[in-house]
Structure formats: structure tokens, C-alpha cells
Amino acid sequence: MSDETRVEWRDWGPEAFAEADERDRPVLLSLSATWCEGCHEMDAITYAEPRIAANVNEGFVPLRVDVDRHPRVRERYNMGGFPTTAFLTPEGRLLTGAGYLDVDGMRQVLESVRQMWTDKGRDAGRVPRALDADLPPRGDVTDGIESHLAGQLEAKYDAENAGWGTDAKFPLPRTVEFALKRDRNRALRTLDAVRDHLTDDVDGGFFRYAGTSDWGDVAYEKPLDTNAAVTRAFANAFLYTGDEAYLDPALDAVDFLTDELWTGYGVGGSLGPGLGRAYYAAPAEDRADLDDPRRDLTVFAGGNALAADALLAVAAYTDDEGAREYADRILDGLERDLIDADSGAVTHYRGSDEAGESDLLEDAARVVGAYVRAAGVRGEGADVACAVADRAIDRLHVEGSFVDGPRSGAGLLDRSFRPLDANVEMATALLDLAALTGEDRYREVARETAEAFAGATERLSVQVAAYGSLAARLRRGTTVIAVGTEPGSDLHRAAWRVADHEKVIAPNAHEADSPAPRTVPEGTAVVLAGDETSEPAETPDELMRRVGDVLA
């Protein structure tokens, strides 16, 4: 991405910080992404201006970091979006920062930082509070967590335009999924707005966000993570409503994922098949002038696991063979190139001549979730989910909650960061795994993790509504349907059609070596909910009656 700039970018690492220390210069850290249009504009305009470039090269040590390849750097220095322009001490402490800067804005900021450095030097640096604070406030997991976040669905809802918030509008798929069980009308109205405003009618897929409260000023990036999570949210809306108005956007997004983001075998045929990270479309009226839409075709573990989860959900609810086939291909590629099934190690990404780091929390959480889903849909995957979960608990579960990755590296990477959203994602995946296998140890780690943040409940808003789902499941249990048939039977398919997107399906529960939480008679299905266990059901209709009896 640096071919348009005149700045002499260094790579992230100890060498760059050692250079800053030796030269006694601040670090200019540019957080960027292949799919980020503002990042490309800043390269072509701001960093290409000769005097700006000379100023940066002479007075600073400039670092360029791809936020997708280095998520721990992103989380520690992000100033609210991309591009981010952060200024650091040689020890990695934060001096100041901004987002997009034009030539005049950059000139002013460079002068301000230079004066700060002259006046205070390294003493001006600070550690962001999220890294310097005490452990999160612990508390009991109570019904109040779910109630508070359900209340936030109403309090923060935009009744005029749908969605949550008064400024930019993001799809917030996990918030939508929380609302589907508790505030369905608002959830569906929000999905209607996403469909009407953030769907790419030309090439398919979902745009990342809208810049105004009425869903205008659309950002034309289409990252994998957004598309996978929103696809799953639409599929879950279809599960509850049976309305094709929610199924059709999900199926269209499946086509986008498996066409525009599908990489085949990646660079040099060494990686894949899998889904690339992102796609930048440009406004429809400008696409004729865009010779080659910007794509980042690197295969990332977490994004591909999330996509496999979404594709398997679509397949389970609809019998869509294409979604099932591509999910299988993604999982096969992950196991071949990015997951060590023996040790449980997950590599963030791997290219033809480089590899990302391992043991990142978000990757592990999404891999566990995807393989639990795979076990429920295709009868395989529980062993991989257990191996990855065990390693994450061993290496990342520290003092009651999960840190985002290894506590080592340049800058502030040696500081523990405990992101609530990733902790919730991992704890939820562990609850799914506990329900699938009957292993209480996974449930206990999930509970301990939820308790680690419970003391801050009153400060939480809709962006982390999934924490309410986690708390509710810890309080009331997870509905499990143990099916005594192989995957694909009428009884197994009916189990997936039960209108609860948080349920866990355990096929092959008639086999002695099945990971299912209990053995059931062959050819039957049993519903487990809390302390309730249904009588065996032999037909889909009978199963639906058993579900109603147990959950009544």
C-alpha cells in the first residue's frame, strides 16, 4: 500500500522502536487496511506531498501497520477508525493521535507533536486506560444483565430510521440476534434498513456502515467479518419468521462470499481454499471508472471461521447445498493451513512467505463456534473445537477472563488487554461446546468469564448486547436437541428448524462414542432444556410438540 507515498515506512517490530530510541525521535504509526478508502486517499494526497514526507522521514520514525494482520496493534492504538495516525514514544506509549489528516491537518499535527516532544520528551507518553486499568469489576451473573441490555434496545433505538445510535449506523448483527428473542420488531426493522441501505445491489454483499443516522453516506468497504455476521443475522431472522424477505438477502450474501471473496488456492496455490478479507466496491455510478475493485484476498482464520458458521446456519435452515459445500471447503482449508488440530493452535493468517501470530482470542473464539456448528450440522468437528478451546483456556484465560493474545511484543503488546466483545464471543462458544459435549469445565470457564465483567453492567450499551444472551444462557441453560440419527435425516433437519438460534444440535446421539451430552434411542430425538428432559420423539411433528412441552 506504500507505493503512492514518499514516506520511508518501517515494519512493526522491535527494530523500529530501537531506531526511535537511538535517534530520540517519536514514532508515527499509521494504521491502515487494503480495503480502507480513506487510507488510500491519505497515501495519495497527504503522504505523497514532498514536504510532509520529508518532515516525517526526518523528524519521526514512521511505521505502517496493516490492521487486519496485526489486530493487537490495532486494538491498542486505534483512534476511532481507519486510517489512524498515532504518535508514540520509543517505548510505545501514546503521545496523541488522529484519524484522517489532509495536508494542512498533518502539517499542524506534526508541528504540535514536535513541540510536545521538545517540551516534555518521553514523559508526555501515556498508557491507554484500557491497558493500564485494574481488572474489570467482577460481579454475580444475574437476570439484571439481560434486563439492562434489553432495556438498552429500547432506549438507544432510532424509532424514525431504525437501528441503534444517533450518528453513524452499523449493522450490529450480534445486537440484532440478541433482539430477535427479546425485541423482535426492532430487530426486524433494523434488518429491513440494512437490506434497504447497506446491500450492494450491483455486486452483492453488505457494506460496512452508513455515516449518517438515516443510513446515508455509505462506506463502500465490504469486509468478510461484516458480511459473515450479517448473513448469519438474516438467516436467524428467517428461522424465526419464515419470511423470505430475510432469507433472500442471506442467500445473495452467500453468493457474494463464495464468488467475490473466494480465493481458490490463494497466492501461488499454497493457501486456501478460503475467503479473502475484504472488497472495496466504490459507489455504483463510479464503478465503470474503477478498473479493479480493491480486494484483500488473504485468508484469515477468524473471518473464515465466522463465514463457515454463517454458511452452515444457512445450510441447516434451508438445505442449501452450495452454502454447505463452501462451508466444508473453508473448514478443510482451515484445518490444513491454519489450525493444528493436535495442539489446538490457530494461526491468524498464512501467506506464501509469511505467517501471522498464533493464539489470538478472536480467532480461537470463532473457530470454536464454527466447529461446534459443524458438529451439529455435519456430525464432525467437536474434536477440533475441544482442542482449540483447551489451548485458549490454558494460554489466554488469565485471572478470570481472557486476554486478547500473547502478552509480548513491541510497543504496548506486553500489556494485557481484555476486550469484552471477544470475551463474550469466546464464553458463548464455550457454552455451546459444553452443551454439545456435556463437559461442565467449559461451562464453568464461561461463567467465570461472564462474572469478570458483571460489575460494569450498568455502563454497557447495545453494542455488547451479546453479553445479555450469554448471561441469560448461564442463568437458564442452553436448549440442546440430541438426535439419534446421522446428519441429514428428517428428524435432524427438523431439529435445526426449531425457532431458537441459540440452541445446540447433537446428531449421532445414539452412538456410544458420540460427543453428545446423553445417549438416546436410535431413530429418536430428545430435548434437553435446563433440568427438563423430554420424552423421545420419533417424527418431526412429534419433536416440535416435545419442544413446546419442555419450553412452555
Side-chain angles (χ1 to χ4, degrees):
M1 185 182 293
S2 61
D3 55 340
E4 295 176 321
T5 86
R6 297 171 181 265
V7 175
E8 298 169 0
W9 297 111
R10 280 70 155 175
D11 294 329
W12 177 273
E15 297 83 1
F17 285 95
E19 178 187 348
D21 184 46
E22 182 178 348
R23 293 176 56 196
D24 194 29
R25 295 285 191 271
V27 171
L28 187 160
L29 172 63
S30 169
L31 298 181
S32 189
T34 305
W35 45 263
C36 168
E37 183 64 7
C39 303
H40 288 275
E41 289 180 4
M42 198 167 166
D43 274 353
I45 297 172
T46 306
Y47 290 125
E49 206 284 323
R51 286 169 294 184
I52 292 292
N55 196 336
V56 169
N57 292 333
E58 179 182 349
F60 301 84
V61 174
L63 288 180
R64 169 58 58 83
V65 168
D66 183 303
V67 297
D68 295 324
R69 287 163 176 73
H70 298 278
R72 291 198 296 144
V73 179
R74 177 192 67 208
E75 292 306 312
R76 283 157 177 76
Y77 295 108
N78 179 13
M79 304 302 292
F82 309 111
T84 274
T85 311
F87 295 87
L88 319 177
T89 71
E91 296 75 34
R93 293 173 178 261
L94 183 65
L95 294 168
T96 188
Y100 180 94
L101 291 169
D102 60 17
V103 171
D104 289 339
M106 177 63 83
R107 185 177 293 114
Q108 293 173 15
V109 170
L110 291 177
E111 182 58 35
S112 173
V113 174
R114 183 181 290 107
Q115 189 62 50
M116 180 190 303
W117 191 252
T118 299
D119 293 342
K120 298 182 179 179
R122 304 180 191 217
D123 291 341
R126 61 182 176 85
V127 176
R129 183 176 179 182
L131 305 179
D132 198 34
D134 295 331
L135 289 172
R138 301 189 63 82
D140 294 330
V141 175
T142 68
D143 293 337
I145 297 173
E146 180 187 16
S147 297
H148 168 75
L149 288 164
Q152 291 293 297
L153 293 177
E154 179 179 1
K156 303 298 183 182
Y157 186 73
D158 183 343
E160 180 178 357
N161 300 301
W164 290 275
T166 57
D167 299 317
K169 288 288 175 61
F170 288 82
L172 298 181
R174 289 173 179 78
T175 301
V176 167
E177 290 175 334
F178 174 75
L180 281 171
K181 293 185 72 168
R182 299 155 181 91
D183 197 341
R184 190 167 301 164
N185 181 61
R186 289 188 173 92
L188 296 178
R189 280 199 62 204
T190 298
L191 288 177
D192 292 341
V194 171
R195 180 192 62 224
D196 294 342
H197 298 285
L198 295 185
T199 299
D200 185 348
D201 295 329
V202 178
D203 295 323
F206 301 106
F207 298 121
R208 192 162 65 98
Y209 73 96
T212 62
S213 63
D214 61 355
W215 300 88
D217 189 22
V218 171
Y220 290 96
E221 302 99 348
K222 296 189 289 186
L224 171 59
D225 305 57
T226 296
N227 276 269
V230 175
T231 298
R232 190 180 69 183
F234 271 100
N236 286 329
F238 171 71
L239 176 68
Y240 284 99
T241 66
D243 190 338
E244 292 190 359
Y246 303 106
L247 175 60
D248 289 344
L251 294 176
D252 289 343
V254 168
D255 290 339
F256 167 74
L257 290 169
T258 58
D259 183 9
E260 299 296 342
L261 286 187
W262 188 253
T263 66
Y265 279 87
V267 178
S270 63
L271 180 66
L275 297 176
R277 169 65 176 149
Y279 178 105
Y280 175 77
E285 62 271 17
D286 295 340
R287 294 189 194 182
D289 300 324
L290 191 66
D291 295 334
D292 183 20
R294 292 194 186 98
R295 293 175 172 87
D296 181 347
L297 295 181
T298 307
V299 178
F300 289 87
N304 272 266
L306 186 60
D309 187 19
L311 292 171
L312 286 170
V314 171
Y317 303 158
T318 67
D319 297 327
D320 186 289
E321 285 301 319
R324 164 67 184 265
E325 175 191 348
Y326 275 95
D328 287 348
R329 292 170 70 182
I330 289 171
L331 295 175
D332 289 346
L334 288 176
E335 288 178 61
R336 184 182 61 249
D337 295 316
L338 295 173
I339 300 172
D340 184 331
D342 293 329
S343 69
V346 179
T347 300
H348 185 48
Y349 72 94
R350 195 184 304 278
S352 58
D353 58 355
E354 62 176 345
E357 57 185 332
S358 298
D359 297 321
L360 298 184
L361 175 60
E362 186 177 79
D363 289 340
R366 292 176 175 181
V367 166
V368 173
Y371 277 88
V372 171
R373 175 89 70 176
V377 174
R378 64 181 195 171
E380 301 173 351
D383 54 341
V384 176
C386 288
V388 174
D390 291 346
R391 183 179 176 101
I393 292 169
D394 179 57
R395 297 189 174 220
L396 301 178
H397 198 251
V398 181
E399 298 183 73
S401 59
F402 287 92
V403 295
D404 66 334
R407 288 158 289 162
S408 62
L412 297 177
L413 296 188
D414 59 348
R415 299 271 183 152
S416 293
F417 179 52
R418 302 169 189 270
L420 175 57
D421 53 354
N423 268 269
V424 169
E425 195 167 5
M426 175 55 91
T428 300
L430 292 175
L431 272 189
D432 290 344
L433 186 57
L436 176 71
T437 64
E439 292 281 354
D440 286 338
R441 59 195 174 98
Y442 296 128
R443 185 179 295 106
E444 289 311 307
V445 173
R447 177 178 295 280
E448 186 178 9
T449 302
E451 290 172 344
F453 299 91
T457 297
E458 294 304 315
R459 301 200 298 267
L460 303 181
S461 192
V462 291
Q463 287 79 6
V464 289
Y467 183 43
S469 297
L470 172 64
R473 291 177 59 187
L474 285 167
R475 294 284 293 172
R476 297 192 291 271
T478 299
T479 298
V480 182
I481 304 179
V483 184
T485 72
E486 293 185 355
S489 71
D490 288 346
L491 203 55
H492 175 254
R493 292 167 58 244
W496 273 109
R497 268 63 165 192
V498 171
D500 178 3
H501 72 279
E502 296 172 353
K503 66 184 178 294
V504 171
I505 308 299
N508 296 319
H510 59 294
E511 297 179 353
D513 59 351
S514 167
R518 62 165 291 174
T519 303
V520 302
E522 185 173 3
T524 71
V526 169
V527 182
L528 311 170
D531 295 329
E532 297 290 325
T533 301
S534 76
E535 293 296 319
E538 297 182 355
T539 67
D541 288 342
E542 197 171 26
L543 174 60
M544 294 304 171
R545 290 196 294 271
R546 296 287 187 265
V547 170
D549 293 342
V550 169
L551 300 182

